[in-house]
């Protein structure tokens, strides 16, 4: 990501090259989102009483309750276990998306940083 790094350092660099790099990022991101949408992810509550399966888009697909373990739970504890399992499955979506897009990020001290932010700041300041 040579051109994005140049822009991040405040150098203009090759605009056509930057656009090609950004197009590549966009294509990779779209491919990752399509792959994620086609997948299913699972999560369980800490006691592994409830297992939830969600689509990559976050829709609940199935919920399985271990009948041998849930007998010791009252309705409040069971509802808490269901919520925890669904939450765990939805968190798995974020983890999977991070895996799929790992190659997109530039090497920075802050992985969440915008690589073009310094350049945009320079433009806004008129430099």
């Amino acid at each position: 990501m040579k051109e994005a790094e140049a822009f991040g350092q405040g150098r203009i660099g090759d605009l056509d090259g930057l656009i090609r790099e950004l197009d590549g990022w966009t294509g990779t991101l779209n491919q990752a989102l399509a792959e994620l949408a086609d997948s299913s992810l699972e999560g369980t509550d800490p006691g592994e009483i409830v297992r939830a399966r969600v689509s990559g888009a976050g829709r609940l697909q199935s919920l399985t309750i271990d009948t041998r373990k849930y007998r010791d739970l009252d309705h409040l504890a069971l509802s808490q276990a269901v919520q925890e399992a669904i939450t765990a499955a939805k968190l798995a979506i974020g983890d999977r998306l991070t895996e799929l897009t790992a190659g997109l990020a530039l090497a920075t001290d802050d992985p969440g940083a915008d690589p073009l932010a310094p350049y945009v700041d320079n433009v806004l300041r008129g430099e």
Side-chain angles (χ1 to χ4, degrees):
M1 302 307 161
K2 179 180 99 180
E3 298 307 323
E5 289 173 0
F7 273 67
Q9 296 169 358
R11 299 189 320 261
I12 292 191
D14 175 14
L15 289 176
D16 289 336
L18 176 65
I19 291 170
R20 281 191 301 276
E21 286 179 9
L22 293 176
D23 283 344
W25 285 353
T26 302
T28 302
L29 182 58
N30 286 336
Q31 182 180 0
L33 291 173
E35 183 178 329
L36 185 62
D38 290 339
S39 65
S40 294
L41 299 123
E42 289 188 354
T44 64
D45 68 296
E48 296 186 356
I49 297 167
V50 179
R51 178 173 305 282
R53 177 181 289 272
V54 296
S55 70
R59 294 187 180 267
L60 182 62
Q61 294 177 323
S62 68
L63 196 64
T64 307
I65 300 172
D66 186 333
T67 55
R68 293 168 293 167
K69 294 181 180 178
Y70 93 96
R71 294 179 187 167
D72 297 332
L73 302 178
D74 64 13
H75 65 285
L76 294 175
L78 181 58
S79 68
Q80 180 68 33
V82 167
Q83 290 175 346
E84 289 171 345
I86 293 171
T87 299
K90 288 188 175 186
L91 288 173
I93 295 170
D95 293 343
R96 181 66 182 137
L97 183 59
T98 299
E99 290 172 15
L100 293 171
T101 59
L104 291 178
L106 293 175
T108 65
D109 292 336
D110 179 6
D114 179 357
L116 300 180
Y119 173 74
V120 172
D121 288 342
N122 289 341
V123 170
L124 293 175
R125 284 192 303 252
E127 297 176 2

